[in-house]
Amino acid sequence: MRAELDQTPRSLLVSERSSFRDQKTRIRAQVEQLHFNYKVSVLLPECCSAPPHLDSIFNTFNSFYLIRNLPVYELLDKNFLETAVYQGSVYGVSYRTRIDEDNCVALTPKGHLTLSLDKDSFEILGVEGKPSRFNHRTKCRFVVSVDLTDSSMAPGGRGYQRLLTGLRSRLQLKTDFLLSHYPGGGASLQALLSRYDWSEHRPQISRHTLTDLSCPALLTSDLQSCDPHSFMEWVGAVDANVSCENSSSSFLSSLVCPEPRTTVSRALSVSVCGLLLPHDVHRLIQEIRCYLEQPHLESWVCLTVHGYADSPVSWGDNEHSVLKGGENFYSLLMFQDDTYHLHLATGAHDTCPP
């Protein structure tokens, strides 16, 4: 076995401390930079059931659509461009495709269409692209990125026709596709949906209560003594319901809670899964801030957002790595005094998070 296979893949972790009251806070922009979110987890200490106002946010995340076997050239349909792409934020990503070996597609809210293609598909398509940043010694993967809102890509134009012909007549790429639109919702997508096999989905919500949970001593926003990597390992272990006690009778995990630590008698973990929009994540953050204003509650809440591991783009419109792990997530630790700690993570070969 090669030595590097024994090593845990490196990752990139960017951490910052700030306050929601700071006029220069970038939290909204940073939340919007991760377009394709598949899971949001919230950890509420000293809580056994979410209050109604928080439950309301969990239950009102936008629905999304799964279109089966969608020809990708339909994303260039004139009516779809005019009623959806030009009018608001469209979020679309190919479903159950693997970024390291399949052809993957993403449509970002700013109207950027990204195709991550293997070499044969790229050559068949016959449009301009560039080699993937994550090729090994040979150029075996290519990226085509097109701004559908640019005047050069207006329906009937030369660039538009070339891409349309390549997708419809030469490559004929089809994929299962997750799609959502804000603020238009399903009404703006009906013309496209009506031509294919599709289903509407609500995000799935799960809750579980934890008892006697060991956690870092986060009684204040002063976390100087807590290593960010250790903290993120603890957050992941709690989310996966893996014990951090590291007892001699357990062979499941060697993870331990960072020191100094304390024990909370109970905690509630709530997860929402689906194609989750940054707009809904931001609404949840604002509601958690209101929740923390109640003086009798524990002084912190932790929110973690995971991006799709096989999305062609990660932070912003930057190419997502096809090497080793597919990490792209962030964890936001919020306190009663309106300060927060933000940890943004991605694979070691990806572009640094914003």
Side-chain angles (χ1 to χ4, degrees):
M1 181 181 291
R2 297 177 62 181
E4 59 265 27
L5 296 181
D6 290 331
Q7 299 174 1
T8 302
R10 292 178 59 247
S11 59
L12 214 67
L13 182 62
V14 176
S15 302
E16 69 174 53
R17 303 167 60 176
S18 187
S19 170
F20 290 107
R21 299 173 188 171
D22 189 338
Q23 293 183 350
K24 296 181 179 180
T25 180
R26 301 184 300 139
I27 189 66
R28 188 182 189 103
Q30 289 164 319
V31 167
E32 292 174 350
Q33 286 289 298
L34 194 59
H35 303 311
F36 305 111
N37 309 301
Y38 86 90
K39 182 179 181 180
V40 173
S41 299
V42 177
L43 181 62
L44 304 165
E46 299 298 351
C47 178
C48 58
S49 63
H53 55 281
L54 265 182
D55 248 347
S56 174
I57 298 296
F58 292 133
N59 291 316
T60 55
F61 269 60
N62 278 267
S63 59
F64 58 97
Y65 301 88
L66 171 60
I67 309 176
R68 297 169 184 85
N69 213 25
L70 174 72
V72 176
Y73 70 79
E74 285 283 14
L75 300 178
L76 302 180
D77 177 73
K78 182 179 179 181
N79 179 266
F80 176 70
L81 292 175
E82 291 176 346
T83 60
V85 176
Y86 299 160
Q87 300 302 319
S89 299
V90 178
Y91 298 80
V93 63
S94 51
Y95 181 56
R96 289 183 174 171
T97 52
R98 295 162 293 189
I99 190 65
D100 56 340
E101 55 185 84
D102 297 328
N103 293 324
C104 300
V105 183
L107 180 59
T108 70
K110 291 185 178 181
H112 289 183
L113 177 64
T114 299
L115 311 174
S116 179
L117 306 172
D118 59 52
K119 183 179 180 181
D120 290 343
S121 299
F122 175 71
E123 292 176 347
I124 293 171
L125 181 62
V127 300
E128 290 185 12
K130 58 184 180 181
S132 169
R133 293 178 54 240
F134 307 108
N135 281 316
H136 294 280
R137 295 174 182 174
T138 59
K139 296 178 181 179
C140 59
R141 193 158 198 89
F142 292 81
V143 176
V144 175
S145 184
V146 178
D147 183 358
L148 298 180
T149 66
D150 190 82
S151 58
S152 64
M153 285 302 297
R158 186 175 178 180
Y160 173 89
Q161 285 299 137
R162 185 172 183 180
L163 180 59
L164 181 63
T165 300
L167 288 171
R168 184 162 58 186
S169 302
R170 292 195 294 270
L171 183 58
Q172 299 180 351
L173 178 63
K174 296 182 179 181
T175 182
D176 290 348
F177 201 69
L178 296 176
L179 190 64
S180 187
H181 184 221
Y182 178 81
S188 59
L189 306 175
Q190 280 304 315
L192 175 63
L193 296 174
S194 65
R195 298 195 291 272
Y196 297 96
D197 180 18
W198 62 276
S199 54
E200 183 177 4
H201 298 267
R202 295 288 310 162
Q204 296 182 337
I205 304 172
S206 62
R207 304 171 175 85
H208 66 273
T209 303
L210 307 167
T211 57
D212 297 325
L213 175 67
S214 294
C215 62
L218 307 177
L219 300 181
T220 71
S221 58
D222 184 13
L223 272 177
Q224 296 281 5
S225 60
C226 187
D227 172 64
H229 288 89
S230 299
F231 172 72
M232 294 300 291
E233 283 187 342
W234 173 80
V235 169
V238 172
D239 186 51
N241 201 20
V242 174
S243 172
C244 288
E245 297 303 322
N246 193 20
S247 63
S248 59
S249 60
S250 173
F251 298 94
L252 179 63
S253 169
S254 61
L255 296 174
V256 294
C257 179
E259 297 283 356
R261 64 180 177 176
T262 185
T263 300
V264 295
S265 59
R266 59 187 179 178
L268 178 68
S269 177
V270 183
S271 295
V272 185
C273 295
L275 178 58
L276 310 176
L277 305 188
H279 165 76
D280 289 324
V281 176
H282 187 71
R283 286 196 305 125
L284 178 57
I285 290 172
Q286 295 303 108
E287 197 57 54
I288 291 174
R289 290 180 62 194
C290 295
Y291 171 80
L292 282 169
E293 289 177 356
Q294 303 175 46
H296 61 280
L297 295 172
E298 187 69 29
S299 61
W300 60 270
V301 170
C302 185
L303 174 144
T304 304
V305 179
H306 293 267
Y308 279 86
D310 290 292
S311 167
V313 295
S314 181
W315 293 99
D317 291 320
N318 294 312
E319 184 185 358
H320 193 194
S321 171
V322 301
L323 304 175
K324 296 185 178 180
E327 307 94 333
N328 58 128
F329 67 94
Y330 61 89
S331 190
L332 180 64
L333 184 62
M334 294 174 277
F335 300 94
Q336 276 187 330
D337 61 1
D338 245 2
T339 59
Y340 64 82
H341 291 185
L342 178 63
H343 305 287
L344 308 99
T346 189
H349 301 282
D350 282 38
T351 301
C352 186

